[in-house]
Amino acid sequence: MAELMQYEKSGRFSQREKIALRYADAIMYDPNQADDAMWAALRGEFTEPELVELGYWIGFTFGGQRWLKTLSAQQGELAAAMAAVAAQKNKV
């Protein structure tokens, strides 16, 4: 995880992965990072449909995480609640 947080300096990630992570940073934290240079780098690695799909997935995933944090939901709570409902249905 520590290396992921320093992805720009890491040798572990390809250029394609690094620009995708930079795209994620722009979507999640600072849209001002989406400058002409970033878009040129993204278009050098991804097609327009790939950029749409990647951007959608980043927004969907990050939005879901924000929503769960807003609810103060803890890891596993939803699964436990769904299992309890299923168990109740099976008793009927």
Side-chain angles (χ1 to χ4, degrees):
M1 184 61 126
E3 198 148 356
L4 179 60
M5 300 309 290
Q6 299 294 321
Y7 69 86
E8 298 248 12
K9 298 175 186 172
S10 173
R12 180 176 243 179
F13 302 100
S14 69
Q15 285 306 115
R16 181 179 168 93
E17 291 168 328
K18 286 179 180 182
I19 192 61
L21 289 166
R22 188 168 164 219
Y23 188 31
D25 282 347
I27 291 169
M28 295 184 307
Y29 305 116
D30 183 8
N32 292 322
Q33 291 181 29
D35 58 11
D36 290 343
M38 188 190 89
W39 284 110
L42 282 165
R43 288 187 178 103
E45 296 289 342
F46 298 95
T47 64
E48 288 293 319
E50 288 173 327
L51 287 172
V52 170
E53 185 174 350
L54 183 58
Y56 171 81
W57 185 248
I58 292 165
F60 176 78
T61 302
F62 189 70
Q65 293 302 310
R66 286 284 194 179
W67 179 58
L68 291 172
K69 188 163 183 76
T70 301
L71 297 174
S72 298
Q74 300 298 312
Q75 181 74 25
E77 283 182 342
L78 178 58
M82 291 174 66
V85 168
Q88 285 295 337
K89 286 182 180 179
N90 289 334
K91 287 182 181 180
V92 174

